[in-house]
């Protein structure tokens, strides 16, 4: 089985070489880019399984590069920021990244985060069965349709533009309607990590998901917060 591929996008040579080295030692097939333009060229040439993307690139804003990546591929994106306080802002901007790490970071933690994200590659399965199998992948709850086969969400038939992470959160809730899912459960299922420092990721992405569903005109079902516990999807 070929090694999973990672693209490291970082303009500081020392950091890029460090990240590349530790990921290669962990068994990943690593490519490098030192600018936003080079990153997009690499993605268009051969999209990797995951991109480690620095926010502060010399030729482009990392958030804009992330949005362009999202328009062209659904690979994981782990964004590196210069300051921990930038993380909340980035989450609020809904740039489409799947995770964030502030510098300075532990190389061991970086490898662990990459391994956790890639433990279950999130690619849509190829159509191999009859139409009935595809039909089973569509969950219908009142005005909402969650199609896990095509990874589309529809409200009254209209497609809602969600990030990969937002789709996975909604799919997890839709698979168990009415049941409360703890934030820790969502963290494990969507981000494949138990690190509690990521709990604010769940809250922020859930807020963005709700906002998009309401803007799309969804009245039922709704995502309800169970204070201190988690979330549930209720018709």
């Amino acid at each position: 089985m070929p090694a999973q591929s990672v693209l490291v996008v970082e303009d500081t040579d020392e950091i890029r070489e460090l990240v590349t080295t530790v990921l290669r030692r962990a068994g990943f097939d690593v490519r490098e880019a030192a600018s936003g333009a080079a990153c997009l060229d690499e993605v268009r040439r051969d999209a990797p399984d995951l991109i480690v993307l620095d926010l502060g690139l010399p030729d482009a804003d990392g958030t804009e590069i992330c949005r362009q990546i999202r328009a062209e591929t659904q690979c994981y994106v782990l964004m590196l920021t210069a300051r921990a306080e930038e993380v909340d802002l980035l989450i609020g901007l809904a740039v489409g990244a799947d995770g964030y790490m502030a510098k300075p970071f532990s190389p061991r933690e970086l490898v662990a985060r990459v391994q956790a994200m890639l433990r279950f590659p999130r690619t849509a399965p190829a159509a191999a069965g009859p139409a009935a199998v595809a039909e089973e992948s569509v969950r219908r709850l009142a005005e909402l349709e969650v199609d896990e086969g095509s990874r589309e969400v529809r409200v009254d038939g209209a497609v809602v533009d969600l990030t990969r992470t937002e789709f996975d959160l909604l799919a997890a809730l839709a698979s168990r309607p009415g049941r409360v899912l703890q934030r820790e459960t969502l963290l494990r299922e969507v981000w494949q990590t138990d690190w509690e420092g990521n709990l604010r990721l769940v809250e922020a992405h859930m807020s963005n998901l709700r906002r998009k569903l309401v803007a799309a005109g969804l009245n039922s079902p709704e995502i309800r917060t169970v204070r201190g516990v988690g979330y549930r999807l209720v018709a």
Side-chain angles (χ1 to χ4, degrees), residues 12 20-21 35 75 81 90 94 123 131 139 147 151 156:
T12 303
T20 297
T21 299
S35 67
C75 67
T81 73
L90 289 168
T123 54
R139 301 184 187 279
D147 188 336
R151 295 188 64 83
D156 279 341

Side-chain angles (χ1 to χ4, degrees), residues 188-207:
R188 285 193 299 271
E189 293 190 7
V190 175
W191 283 272
Q192 287 84 51
T193 179
D194 291 313
W195 184 50
E196 292 190 0
N198 274 332
L199 287 178
R200 59 181 175 174
L201 281 178
V202 179
E203 297 162 359
H205 281 288
M206 194 68 75
S207 175

Side-chain angles (χ1 to χ4, degrees), residues 41 49 51 57 94 97 106 114-115 124 145 184 211 224 231:
D41 286 344
D49 296 305
I51 299 174
L57 295 171
S106 160
V114 171
Q115 289 173 331
E145 288 186 7
E184 293 82 358
R211 175 177 51 79
R224 292 185 184 172
Y231 305 89

Side-chain angles (χ1 to χ4, degrees), residues 7-182:
L7 175 62
V8 177
V9 186
E10 167 65 62
D11 64 305
T12 303
D13 293 341
E14 294 82 359
I15 297 177
R16 188 177 66 255
E17 291 169 6
L18 171 64
V19 173
T20 297
T21 299
V22 297
L23 289 175
R24 280 180 177 155
R25 286 177 179 171
F28 295 103
D29 176 17
V30 185
R31 290 142 52 196
E32 303 176 42
S35 67
C39 168
L40 294 176
D41 286 344
E42 286 289 331
V43 168
R44 289 161 184 160
R45 181 174 65 83
D46 185 14
D49 296 305
L50 182 145
I51 299 174
V52 178
L53 176 65
D54 182 37
L55 175 65
L57 295 171
D59 63 334
D61 184 341
T63 60
E64 181 56 35
I65 294 298
C66 188
R67 289 192 177 99
Q68 290 187 54
I69 291 170
R70 274 288 166 261
E72 299 185 29
T73 178
Q74 286 298 303
C75 67
Y76 285 96
V77 177
L78 176 60
M79 186 167 281
L80 304 180
T81 73
R83 298 183 302 275
E85 55 266 28
E86 288 179 327
V87 171
D88 288 327
L89 173 62
L90 289 168
I91 296 172
L93 289 173
V95 298
D98 298 289
Y100 305 87
M101 290 190 71
K103 302 174 185 177
F105 52 83
S106 160
R108 181 178 297 179
E109 181 185 343
L110 174 70
V111 171
R113 294 284 295 278
V114 171
Q115 289 173 331
M117 285 183 172
L118 292 176
R119 191 172 299 136
F120 302 102
R122 297 190 306 183
T123 54
V133 174
E135 182 69 17
E136 289 176 2
S137 72
V138 181
R139 301 184 187 279
R140 295 182 174 86
L141 302 165
E143 306 160 10
L144 180 70
E145 288 186 7
V146 180
D147 188 336
E148 296 193 42
S150 64
R151 295 188 64 83
E152 285 188 344
V153 169
R154 294 179 285 272
V155 173
D156 279 341
V159 175
V160 183
D161 184 20
L162 300 181
T163 67
R164 175 183 287 275
T165 301
E166 291 160 359
F167 178 89
D168 288 341
L169 282 171
L170 184 57
L173 292 171
S175 69
R176 286 152 285 189
R179 177 179 165 185
V180 178
L181 295 187
Q182 295 182 331

